[in-house]
Amino acid sequence: MSQVLPGDATLVHDLIGIGFGPSNVAMAIAIREHNAQVADGQEADAQEAVTARFFEQQPRFGWHRGMLIDDATMQVSFLKDLVTLRNPASEFSFLCYLQSKGRLIDFINHKNLFPLRVEFHDYFEWSAAKVDDLVSYGHEVVGVAPVVRDGAVDHLEVTVRSGEGLEVHRARNLVLGTGLRPLLPEGVERGDRVWHNSELLAKVDALEGTSPSRFVVVGAGQSAAENVAYLHRRFPGAEVCAVFTRYGYSPADDSGFANRIFDPAAVDDYFTAPGSVKRRLMDYHGNTNYSVVDIDLIDDLYRQMYREKVLGTERLRFLNVSRLTDVKETPDRVRATVTSLVTGEETLLDADVVVFATGYGSADPLGLLGEVADRCLRDDEGRVRVERDYRIATEPGLPCGIYLQGGTEHTHGITSSLLSNTAIRVGEILESLLDRGLKSASDEARTVADGTGGSAR
Ligand SMILES: Cc1cc2nc3c(=O)[nH]c(=O)nc-3n(C[C@H](O)[C@H](O)[C@H](O)COP(=O)(O)OP(=O)(O)OC[C@H]3O[C@@H](n4cnc5c(N)ncnc54)[C@H](O)[C@@H]3O)c2cc1C
């Protein structure tokens, strides 16, 4: 095992954040704004400043970099940025970002609520840079352990792996914002020619100059359609075969009434609703987010397919009501077997690459928590129990708060892993931390072992 470094041995943070994607960047900003108000004496109830540290495994900020296709746009209004719904006057808003880049007036003339994903990534990076004193990049959290005093957990030790070795950091509360994991169908292994769409831009440059002749893209969601359009545009000599079990791409429902499922109030409704109503709501409104495609992109692809039919140069093929049933990689090709669900007929496609745009899933939120997970409560279906304030329900002997950003779809609804509610959610988590009392168990816990004393603030 690597050498264990002491970390900041005497300090017990109020909060350690695991992951520094948009959710925890928003958390860091909420803390920064709260602490500034405390310093200015603006907090009406004389609340305390919060000490926090975030750990991110990537070497620098990155939001789904592998899918930053240059013409792809956001699926959420820019007003649902990291702060605006919580604090419309925040200096961390997308509008302040635009102002700082000298593009505010140009953006307004554009009359568009949905910026390019590349631009929103730049906004996220700009925001993350403004709070980078709170984060350690290149630091992967690999474990959490309880430190018990007088029969109760006093604080948590968080083990972090960096280029230097392992470090141990301490906190009274955690916020997990570790995001989603790419999903491949069972039995499919990634390889040089078998990709998940999350790796698209990291891998595609290597094909430049190789004159690829065929791509197969599996899936019928937004990422699948974006991959089809991108590969078709980028490699004008290649055929692109889209394979999916649906009859055709289905449009995302972003109409006004349906969009209310992403509202802050919808979290209250969903959280309160009985299980059967929760399931019904997901059935009704899953098509606002899952396995659906922006109607403009659907129309573009259809127009392109039809134009090619007319011109007799068909490079876009849609193998609908079909399933990819086998994939075999050889050093210079990959062979995909596609089976029609209508006739059972098999089509063999020799391709340069098969891209699986088969979605993402939540990692088990308790996976990182080691024996702390044993003190977290689960519901009848074995899912982690989460309170309205996003805190995992725990045994009484675990007073530390473990908050989830993501992995709460079963309790808080469809916005769990999305950006729509991020600004509000981090405000609620911060409020919960403050309401529960940062120092609740013992003041001494804020410094440990060596008796140097003094608060970290
Ligand atoms: C291509 C794509 C486009 C999307 N577009 C939209 C959109 O337009 N609108 C929308 O609402 N949602 C969108 N989403 C959904 C997406 O989940 C959110 O946009 C957003 O990424 C959620 O932020 P997050 O911080 O919770 O998770 P992530 O962005 O996934 O960030 C999690 C971070 O945690 C880090 N991490 C994980 N484990 C550890 C560990 N053990 N130690 C340290 N660090 C760790 C990861 O490296 C990562 O940086 C999109 C998703 C994808 C894949």
Side-chain angles (χ1 to χ4, degrees):
M1 181 184 271
S2 334
Q3 183 196 4
V4 178
L5 304 170
D8 39 9
T10 62
L11 176 60
V12 180
H13 297 284
D14 295 323
L15 181 70
I16 280 183
I18 308 179
F20 207 57
S23 297
N24 270 344
V25 174
M27 188 79 239
I29 292 170
I31 290 170
R32 171 60 43 86
E33 291 185 341
H34 165 79
N35 288 354
Q37 285 192 330
V38 171
D40 289 354
Q42 285 176 23
E43 282 286 287
D45 46 0
Q47 297 217 331
E48 303 168 74
V50 176
T51 61
R53 185 93 219 139
F54 294 83
F55 295 101
E56 166 56 50
Q57 63 191 6
Q58 297 187 81
R60 62 195 165 118
F61 179 84
W63 176 64
H64 305 299
R65 282 183 184 274
M67 280 291 291
L68 285 182
I69 295 171
D70 54 7
D71 65 349
T73 56
M74 295 301 292
Q75 312 288 297
V76 71
S77 159
F78 73 85
L79 291 168
K80 293 183 176 175
D81 61 15
L82 298 173
V83 289
T84 299
L85 279 175
R86 176 180 57 78
N87 175 13
S90 172
E91 65 184 76
F92 291 84
S93 69
F94 184 68
L95 291 180
C96 287
Y97 155 82
L98 287 174
Q99 170 84 326
S100 79
K101 298 287 172 183
R103 287 202 301 271
L104 183 54
I105 193 66
D106 301 317
F107 184 82
I108 292 170
N109 288 333
H110 195 26
K111 295 186 202 150
N112 188 353
L113 288 174
F114 305 100
L116 289 171
R117 236 171 19 229
V118 172
E119 186 175 33
F120 229 61
H121 187 280
D122 196 50
Y123 158 66
F124 286 148
E125 264 190 310
W126 171 87
S127 306
K130 285 157 84 76
V131 286
D132 70 355
D133 53 316
L134 295 180
V135 59
S136 301
Y137 289 105
H139 283 65
E140 180 194 6
V141 172
V142 293
V144 174
V147 175
V148 178
R149 278 204 194 137
D150 303 328
V153 176
D154 187 78
H155 62 275
L156 302 169
E157 284 192 341
V158 177
T159 306
V160 181
R161 181 165 42 217
S162 72
E164 312 285 304
L166 295 177
E167 302 169 5
V168 174
H169 298 262
R170 296 162 186 82
R172 295 200 48 73
N173 300 281
L174 300 180
V175 56
L176 274 65
T178 49
L180 301 169
R181 303 284 170 275
L183 288 181
L184 288 169
E186 218 178 303
V188 173
E189 299 278 335
R190 292 188 203 200
D192 290 343
R193 296 180 179 280
V194 177
W195 307 346
H196 185 271
N197 67 274
S198 55
E199 334 170 73
L200 176 74
L201 295 190
K203 291 200 153 181
V204 77
D205 284 347
L207 295 177
E208 207 50 64
T210 65
S211 311
S213 59
R214 181 183 281 147
F215 294 92
V216 175
V217 178
V218 183
Q222 179 71 22
S223 293
E226 287 179 7
N227 271 250
V228 169
Y230 174 80
L231 292 167
H232 182 268
R233 175 162 48 96
R234 174 147 178 189
F235 297 100
E239 177 181 276
V240 181
C241 301
V243 177
F244 45 77
T245 54
R246 288 177 176 246
Y247 211 82
Y249 295 118
S250 298
D253 181 355
D254 66 348
S255 57
F257 288 110
N259 216 48
R260 295 169 83 184
I261 197 75
F262 301 110
D263 287 1
V267 176
D268 288 319
D269 289 334
Y270 194 89
F271 187 83
T272 313
S276 58
V277 176
K278 284 187 168 79
R279 276 189 292 279
R280 189 175 291 196
L281 286 174
M282 287 305 283
D283 287 348
Y284 286 149
H285 298 297
N287 70 342
T288 53
N289 184 54
Y290 291 116
S291 305
V292 287
V293 182
D294 266 1
I295 187 70
D296 291 348
L297 180 52
I298 295 178
D299 289 345
D300 283 351
L301 285 171
Y302 194 88
R303 237 188 319 271
Q304 183 67 37
M305 181 195 72
Y306 186 73
R307 188 182 310 136
E308 291 182 355
K309 253 191 202 326
V310 171
L311 299 176
T313 55
E314 288 176 59
R315 291 201 297 119
L316 263 186
R317 283 174 69 189
F318 294 90
L319 291 89
N320 62 347
V321 208
S322 297
R323 197 184 291 285
L324 191 143
T325 45
D326 192 35
V327 60
K328 278 205 177 60
E329 196 173 346
T330 60
D332 53 351
R333 296 301 273 171
V334 54
R335 170 165 286 193
T337 307
V338 178
T339 306
S340 162
L341 300 181
V342 178
T343 61
E345 187 190 340
E346 289 190 345
T347 305
L348 299 182
L349 296 172
D350 286 324
D352 295 81
V353 173
V354 175
V355 184
F356 283 89
T358 41
Y360 297 78
S362 281
D364 176 4
L366 304 188
L368 269 179
L369 297 182
E371 59 181 283
V372 175
D374 300 338
R375 299 167 185 258
C376 296
L377 306 182
R378 294 189 183 259
D379 67 14
D380 296 344
E381 295 179 41
R383 301 170 303 188
V384 63
R385 272 182 48 195
V386 189
E387 309 290 355
R388 176 60 186 84
D389 58 1
Y390 299 96
R391 183 176 180 269
I392 296 179
T394 53
E395 289 174 354
L398 181 60
C400 302
I402 301 170
Y403 294 88
L404 294 183
Q405 299 220 63
T408 59
E409 196 170 271
H410 60 296
T411 47
H412 291 67
I414 199 162
T415 54
S416 163
S417 64
L418 300 178
L419 302 170
S420 333
N421 243 325
T422 304
I424 297 286
R425 183 174 62 224
V426 298
E428 290 174 345
I429 292 175
L430 178 58
E431 202 177 306
S432 166
L433 274 172
L434 295 168
D435 285 353
R436 294 177 63 243
L438 295 169
K439 299 189 193 181
S440 55
S442 81
D443 272 16
E444 308 89 78
R446 300 177 64 74
T447 58
V448 291
D450 68 357
T452 49
S455 157
R457 300 192 185 115

